[in-house]
Amino acid sequence: MSGLSFAFASPAILAALILLPAIWWLLRLTPPQPRTEVFPPLRILASILKREETPARSPWWLTLLRMLLAALVILAIANPMFNPRTNTLSSGGPLVLMIDNSWASVADWERRVRTADALIDDADAKGIPVSITFTAEQANDATPGAATAARDKLHAMNPRPLVPDRQRAADAVKAALNGSTPGTIAFISDGIESKDKDDIVSRLAALQPSELRLIEGDGHDIMALTGAANTASNMTVTATRLNGTGPMRLGLTAQDNQGRPIAAGSLDFAGGQTVATGSIAAPFEMRNDFARIGIDRQASAGSVYLLDDGFRRRRVALLSGQAADEFQPILSPLYYIQRALQPYADLTQPNSADLAKAIPQLLAGNPSVIIMADVGRLPQETYAPLKKWIENGGTLVRFAGPRLAAAPADDPLVPVTLRQGERTFGGALSWAEPQPLADFPSFGPFAGMPKPTDVLIKRQVLAEPTPDLAERTWASLADGTPLVTEKQMQAGRIVLFHVSAEPQWSDLPISGNFVEMLRRIVQLSRAGGVASSQGAAKASEAMPPYRLLTAKGVLTSEIGSARPLEPNNKGAAVASFDNPPGLYGSEEGFSALNTLPSGAALKPLDTSAAGAVAREGLIGGEAWSAKPILFTFAFLLLLADSIIVLFMNGAFPRLGRSAKTIAGGAAMLLLAASLAMFLHPANALADDSKPGDDAIFSRLDKTHLAFVVTGETDVDHISERGLAGLSDYLTYRTTLEPGPPVGVDLAKDELAFYPLIYWPISATAPMPSNDAINRIDAYMRNGGTVLFDTRDAIDTMGDTSSPSPNGQRLQQILANLDIPPLEPVPAGHVLTKSFYLLSSFPGRYADSPLWVEARQDARRDANAVATSDGVTPIMITGNDFAGAWAVGDNGSPLLPTVPPDETQREYAYRTGVNIMMYMLTGNYKSDQVHVPDILQRLGQ
C-alpha cells in the first residue's frame, strides 16, 4: 500500500459526539465543591472580610478541559485506524494461502497468524474458498475449502525447526488446483532463500493468479548460528543475519548439559555485513563442557547451535623416539603431527625423556589420545598402565620408523603382527617404484575422503597376513598392503601408521590428507579422556533420535515421527523432515544435527524474475491504531483535572519557605593499613644448594668423557685410564681440551653433561636395574651417545655362531632399550672423515666392526643417518677401545694391542678423536663444502 489512509474501526460510536453540548451545560451549572475552613473564630472572621467569593459555576477553562477529555474518550472507543486493511481479494478464483512456518517465523508468528486470519475473513466475507499450505510440513492438503476449515487449520499449526521446502508446498497447490486459475495467491514468507536460486515466486506466478501478494516482515530479528570451532584458545562462533543494515552486537551464551550458563561471549556485525565471527573465551576444560551455544534474547532453532562429542577439544599427548632438534624442528618426528593437530586439539608433551617417568606423567593428565612417533621398545613397567588406559577408552596412535621396525614382533601395543625389518627399495621386499594409495574403504573413519593423488609411499613396515587383516585396515596402498591398521581393545583402540611421521618414508606427512586423517582419528576418541562417561556414537551405525530441537530452540524428548540418522559418507548430514535438528544417539553418546548446515548464509528471497508482485507487510506493521494514544491523552487530562480540583479545594497549603536543613555527615577516611608488621631480617640468604652440586659445577666448565662404573675394579680402572689417555691425545692433537674423565652411576648421576658415555660390558658385573636402563634410554633420546664395548673381539674370532658371555650380557641390556636398526660404519660415513680419514676403527683388537645407527636411504645419500642431528645414539664394538687408549701415570700404555702394533694403537687414538669430533659436530663434515678438501687429501 502507498500513501496514508485513515478510517474508524467503529464509526457508529462517533454519534456520541452530539452529546457534548449537553455535557457542557451540565458542567457549567455544577459549582465547585465548597471549601472547608478551620473552626477557630478568628480564622472565620478573617475569612468573612475577604472580597473573593467561591464561584457558583465552574471556570470556563476547566469546563473546556473536561469537554476535551470526553471527546478523546469517544474518539478512542471509535478506534481510528491509520493505513487500515481493505478487502481487495480477487473473486476470480479461490484464495491460496502459502505460509512459511519455518524456524525463522517464530519471532513474528502471531502477526503471521493474524495476517492470515484477516485474509481468511476477507475470503469468508466474499464467499471465496480458501486453500492453505505450510512450507515446513511434509504433507499438505491444499484442496480449496470453506474459510472455517482453513481457519481451524491455521490455528492448529505451529512453526517447525526446519528450512522450508517451498517446492513441495507449491507442487501440492498445483495438484489441488488441477488446472483451475486461483484468484489471489498470498505468500506469507519469512523472506529467506530456502536454497540457491529459490524460484518459488516464479512458480506461484506460473499458476496465473489474478493477484500475487508477497507478505513479509522486516527481517531485523532473523539471525542464526551456523558454525562453532573449539580452537586452541577459545570457542569461535559464526553467525549470519538476514537484514545487514547497520552495525549490531550479539551476546553469546554457552550452556552445559543441564542448561546452566557457564560462559559468555560476543559477536559483532559491521554495517552491511551479514556473516560475522565471534568468540567465547574459556579454559580448555570448561569449553569441553559446552553443550549448546545460543544468542541472547533470541528464541528460535536457528539461534541455537548444538554441540556434541565431536566439538569437544581433545587432549593429545605426544611421544617421540628421538629428541627434538631446536635448530632443525622440521626434521623432528613430531613436527608434522603438531602442525596438523594444533588447531584441533590440546597438545601436551612430557617433561622427561625417560619413558618410565614420561608415560605415567602423561596418563595422569587423562589424555584422549597418545601419539607415539617411532617408539619401538617401551619400559616393561609401562605396558600394563598403557594397556589399562586403552581398555578404558584411550586411543593410542603409533607411527612406524627405524625403531619400530627393529622392535620385537610380539609387541602387545601394535594392532597387527609386524614383519621384522622394513620394506624399501633394493631389499627382499621392494617396489619397482613408489606406491600410491588405494581408495579408502567405506567402513573406516576415512570413508568419504577422496583418494590422495599426490602421496607416494617409499618405505613402510609390513603386517603379517591374517584372516582379519582386511577388516582392521583403514587405508592401504595400491598393491593392497596396509598403510593404516586398527585394533579394538575393549573401549579403546590402537591405530598404527605403517610409515614414519616425517617425509623420509612417504609424502603423506606433507599432504593435506595427513591433517584430515589425524583429525578424524582424534575425533573418534573420547573428549573427556578415559575417565569420561560419555562415549562417541559410532559413525557407521544409524543413530536414533535422542533429543529434538523445537522451533523455539528448546530440546525435548518428544521425537514424533523422526527417523534414525543414517551415516552419510558423502558429507555432513542436513536437517530434514525425517531428521529434524537435535541430538541423535543415546545418553552414552550422541551426534548433533543443527538447523542450518555449517557455513550457511541467510539471503533475501529474490523476486526479480517473477514479474508484477504486490508487496505487503504483516498486520501490525503498516496498519496501526490510534486508540492507545487517545486513551493515554484522556488519562493525562483526567489526571490534570483531578490535580486542579484538589488545588481549588485547598488540599495543598502553601509550603513554608524556610525548612530545616539536614546537614550530611562528611565521609570518614578509614586508614586501616597497619605498620606494626614484624619484618624478619633479610641479611642472610638461604642456602639452596644440594649435596653433590659442587661436583656438578666442576663438570660444567669443560667437556668431560664419561664411563659407566661397573663395580669391577680392574674394568673401571682401565676405563678411567683409557679415557684419560684419549683426553690427553685430544688436547695434544686438537683444539678440544677435555677435563678429567668421570665415572658415572647410571642409577644416580646426571648423564646430560656428557656427549659420550663409554660402557665396558662385563658378564660378571651386576645387571643394571630397570631404572638405570630407563635413564640411559632417556639419555639416548635426548641426543646423547652410548659406546658399548664388549671387549670380546679376540674371544669370537674362532667361533661366531654364539655370542660371548659379554655379548650375551649386551643382548640382555639392549632388549630393554629402544634402539634403531644398526649397521657397521659404511664407507663415506661422517665417522670416517670427522677429523682423520679412516677406513677402519681398531682398538686393542682390530677385527670387530663398529656398529652405528643404520642409514634410512643409502641409495639417495651416502651420508644420510636416521637421527635428526646426524649423530647415532648408539655405537657397539668389541675392539676394547679403552684398553688401547689406557696409559699409566708416566704416559706409557698399560695394555698391549693384539697383535702388538703401535700403528694400530695410533689408529685407535684416531678412532677416538673421530668419535669425539663426531659427537660434538654431528653431520657437519658431511656438508658438500668439505668434499674438495677431502678429495685432495685422498689424492683424487
Side-chain angles (χ1 to χ4, degrees):
M1 294 182 180
S2 60
L4 182 66
S5 58
F6 175 81
F8 286 94
S10 302
I13 303 298
L14 297 177
L17 293 176
I18 64 176
L19 300 176
L20 289 179
I23 296 175
W24 170 273
W25 182 75
L26 291 173
L27 292 175
R28 287 288 293 168
L29 293 180
T30 303
Q33 182 180 358
R35 290 182 297 177
T36 302
E37 296 291 349
V38 184
F39 173 73
L42 294 178
R43 186 68 178 270
I44 296 176
L45 292 176
S47 62
I48 292 175
L49 298 177
K50 290 182 178 180
R51 295 180 180 180
E52 297 181 1
E53 300 292 340
T54 300
R57 296 180 179 181
S58 297
W60 67 268
W61 48 269
L62 181 60
T63 303
L64 181 62
L65 183 145
R66 292 172 176 174
M67 290 289 295
L68 181 58
L69 188 153
L72 287 176
V73 171
I74 294 172
L75 291 174
I77 296 174
N79 192 11
M81 300 288 296
F82 290 87
N83 289 336
R85 291 185 63 260
T86 56
N87 190 348
T88 60
L89 292 182
S90 172
S91 301
L95 168 65
V96 176
L97 275 177
M98 180 178 289
I99 304 174
D100 278 340
N101 60 327
S102 63
W103 65 269
S105 65
V106 173
D108 51 7
W109 178 250
E110 295 301 326
R111 291 178 60 194
R112 294 175 185 274
V113 171
R114 291 201 304 270
T115 302
D117 244 337
L119 291 171
I120 295 174
D121 290 342
D122 293 344
D124 193 11
K126 289 188 175 184
I128 299 173
V130 179
S131 169
I132 185 169
T133 57
F134 299 91
T135 58
E137 295 299 316
Q138 190 168 8
N140 277 292
D141 182 7
T143 304
T148 305
R151 190 179 293 109
D152 293 340
K153 186 184 297 186
L154 171 66
H155 289 283
M157 190 54 59
N158 290 307
R160 306 295 186 193
L162 296 169
V163 175
D165 190 347
R166 294 167 180 155
Q167 182 175 354
R168 182 192 296 259
D171 292 341
V173 171
K174 184 177 181 180
L177 292 176
N178 195 20
S180 62
T181 302
T184 299
I185 295 182
F187 178 28
I188 304 178
S189 170
D190 59 18
I192 308 173
E193 276 193 350
S194 61
K195 60 180 180 179
D196 291 338
K197 299 180 180 179
D198 192 345
D199 60 346
I200 181 61
V201 180
S202 299
R203 293 172 66 88
L204 294 178
L207 298 177
Q208 299 180 350
S210 301
E211 180 188 20
L212 177 58
R213 299 184 186 181
L214 180 61
I215 305 174
E216 297 175 320
D218 57 10
H220 181 76
D221 293 331
I222 299 179
M223 56 196 70
L225 299 181
T226 59
N230 201 349
T231 64
S233 58
N234 54 30
M235 176 75 76
T236 60
V237 182
T238 304
T240 178
R241 61 174 177 169
L242 181 63
N243 189 338
T245 305
M248 177 183 291
R249 164 164 285 195
L250 300 181
L252 302 175
T253 300
Q255 300 177 357
D256 60 9
N257 286 324
Q258 282 73 40
R260 298 170 298 190
I262 55 177
S266 62
L267 185 147
D268 293 314
F269 286 97
Q273 188 180 20
T274 58
V275 178
T277 301
S279 63
I280 301 177
F284 161 74
E285 292 80 6
M286 183 178 291
R287 280 183 277 127
N288 274 359
D289 289 335
F290 290 178
R292 57 184 283 167
I293 299 172
I295 302 176
D296 295 346
R297 295 184 298 277
Q298 291 285 326
S300 72
S303 64
V304 172
Y305 200 83
L306 301 176
L307 304 176
D308 55 21
D309 197 58
F311 287 91
R312 292 177 173 84
R313 195 172 178 86
R314 273 66 170 172
R315 175 167 289 154
V316 179
L318 304 179
L319 282 176
S320 173
Q322 302 176 14
D325 191 339
E326 296 181 358
F327 301 99
Q328 294 178 309
I330 199 171
L331 298 179
S332 170
L334 296 177
Y335 176 78
Y336 296 96
I337 298 176
Q338 290 172 325
R339 295 293 297 271
L341 289 180
Q342 197 161 15
Y344 310 106
D346 182 50
L347 305 181
T348 61
Q349 289 184 257
N351 299 324
S352 173
D354 185 353
L355 295 185
K357 298 179 180 178
I359 291 178
Q361 175 188 344
L362 293 179
L363 294 179
N366 194 24
S368 299
V369 182
I370 294 179
I371 298 181
M372 295 183 181
D374 190 22
V375 176
R377 292 180 176 90
L378 294 173
Q380 194 63 35
E381 61 270 25
T382 63
Y383 280 95
L386 264 177
K387 185 178 180 181
K388 181 178 179 182
W389 172 79
I390 296 171
E391 292 174 347
N392 288 338
T395 299
L396 175 64
V397 181
R398 302 189 69 172
F399 283 86
R403 286 175 171 80
L404 185 62
D410 57 349
D411 190 337
L413 296 182
V414 292
V416 293
T417 303
L418 300 178
R419 292 184 179 179
Q420 288 294 302
E422 59 201 40
R423 181 178 182 182
T424 182
F425 296 108
L429 300 171
S430 63
W431 295 299
E433 58 184 12
Q435 288 287 307
L437 269 64
D439 292 328
F440 294 110
S442 59
F443 57 84
F446 311 142
M449 289 180 56
K451 180 180 70 174
T453 58
D454 57 345
V455 174
L456 295 176
I457 308 300
K458 298 178 282 292
R459 177 177 300 183
Q460 67 173 156
V461 292
L462 288 176
E464 291 286 354
T466 56
D468 60 346
L469 182 59
E471 300 175 0
R472 295 186 181 183
T473 301
W474 282 353
S476 59
L477 305 186
D479 63 356
T481 55
L483 177 67
V484 181
T485 54
E486 178 263 355
K487 176 185 177 182
Q488 290 281 342
M489 289 184 62
Q490 294 186 14
R493 59 170 52 88
I494 302 174
V495 180
L496 173 64
F497 282 77
H498 290 240
V499 292
S500 63
E502 65 273 359
Q504 293 182 354
W505 284 27
S506 71
D507 300 325
L508 182 62
I510 57 176
S511 70
N513 297 86
F514 186 69
V515 178
E516 182 64 15
M517 292 170 75
L518 281 181
R519 187 186 70 83
R520 292 194 179 196
I521 292 175
V522 170
Q523 290 300 319
L524 288 177
S525 64
R526 291 188 175 182
V530 300
S532 174
S533 60
Q534 296 179 352
K538 294 183 178 180
S540 59
E541 299 178 357
M543 293 172 285
Y546 171 54
R547 296 283 190 273
L548 296 183
L549 202 63
T550 66
K552 293 185 177 181
V554 179
L555 282 173
T556 177
S557 58
E558 297 180 4
I559 60 176
S561 60
R563 304 176 64 126
L565 184 64
E566 298 289 342
N568 185 5
N569 295 332
K570 296 182 180 180
V574 178
S576 63
F577 294 114
D578 291 333
N579 299 123
L583 304 177
Y584 289 81
S586 62
E587 186 177 0
E588 287 74 22
F590 48 78
S591 178
L593 180 61
N594 286 288
T595 305
L596 296 180
S598 178
L602 300 181
K603 299 178 181 179
L605 183 64
D606 185 12
T607 60
S608 58
V613 178
R615 289 183 174 270
E616 297 181 10
L618 299 173
I619 285 182
E622 289 188 357
W624 59 278
S625 172
K627 179 189 292 186
I629 298 176
L630 295 177
F631 271 125
T632 301
F633 277 114
F635 175 75
L636 293 176
L637 291 179
L638 178 62
L639 185 63
D641 180 83
S642 302
I643 295 175
I644 290 171
V645 171
L646 290 175
F647 265 106
M648 293 178 64
N649 293 334
F652 299 99
R654 183 176 300 177
L655 299 177
R657 295 181 178 271
S658 61
K660 295 182 179 180
T661 303
I662 302 176
M668 299 180 63
L669 300 178
L670 300 178
L671 301 177
S674 176
L675 301 179
M677 297 179 61
F678 294 95
L679 301 178
H680 295 281
N683 297 331
L685 297 177
D687 186 7
D688 294 333
S689 61
K690 299 178 181 179
D693 284 354
D694 293 340
I696 293 177
F697 293 150
S698 65
R699 297 170 187 174
L700 296 177
D701 57 346
K702 57 178 60 179
T703 302
H704 294 266
L705 306 185
F707 63 93
V708 175
V709 177
T710 63
E712 296 184 343
T713 305
D714 295 342
V715 176
D716 295 341
H717 176 69
I718 293 299
S719 297
E720 191 273 333
R721 296 315 305 162
L723 296 185
L726 179 60
S727 297
D728 294 341
Y729 192 89
L730 286 167
T731 302
Y732 178 69
R733 293 290 187 181
T734 71
T735 57
L736 177 63
E737 297 180 358
V742 176
V744 295
D745 184 348
L746 296 179
K748 298 179 180 179
D749 296 333
E750 178 57 56
L751 308 179
F753 305 130
Y754 314 107
L756 176 72
I757 296 178
Y758 177 76
W759 191 338
I761 302 300
S762 175
T764 58
M767 180 67 184
S769 64
N770 288 336
D771 183 61
I773 295 296
N774 293 334
R775 296 184 81 244
I776 202 68
D777 189 38
Y779 167 78
M780 295 166 65
R781 291 181 191 276
N782 281 332
T785 299
V786 180
L787 174 55
F788 293 94
D789 194 342
T790 57
R791 304 172 296 119
D792 60 355
I794 192 171
D795 298 332
T796 58
M797 288 178 59
D799 182 13
T800 58
S801 60
S802 61
S804 66
N806 287 355
Q808 294 177 4
R809 174 55 60 87
L810 177 62
Q811 291 179 354
Q812 295 174 1
I813 295 174
L814 296 182
N816 297 317
L817 291 175
D818 186 18
I819 61 174
L822 304 177
E823 65 177 354
V825 175
H829 194 278
V830 181
L831 271 171
T832 64
K833 52 190 176 184
S834 59
F835 195 86
Y836 294 104
L837 296 179
L838 300 175
S839 58
S840 63
F841 303 91
R844 191 166 169 234
Y845 314 114
D847 296 322
S848 176
L850 178 61
W851 293 80
V852 294
E853 182 177 4
R855 297 167 296 173
Q856 293 197 32
D857 198 341
R859 291 184 57 185
R860 186 171 54 183
D861 185 2
N863 298 310
V865 290
T867 53
S868 59
D869 61 355
V871 177
T872 176
I874 182 174
M875 297 182 185
I876 300 176
T877 186
N879 285 335
D880 192 7
F881 285 164
W885 301 334
V887 295
D889 295 336
N890 57 0
S892 59
L894 291 182
L895 300 175
T897 60
V898 179
D901 185 359
E902 289 304 311
T903 302
Q904 178 176 326
R905 190 183 303 276
E906 174 65 21
Y907 276 97
Y909 277 118
R910 293 186 178 186
T911 296
V913 172
N914 273 26
I915 290 175
M916 283 305 302
M917 293 299 107
Y918 174 55
M919 293 298 101
L920 299 176
T921 62
N923 57 4
Y924 169 67
K925 280 298 180 72
S926 67
D927 198 308
Q928 292 298 311
V929 72
H930 300 284
V931 171
D933 294 332
I934 294 174
L935 292 178
Q936 183 179 2
R937 290 288 305 276
L938 292 173
Q940 300 179 6

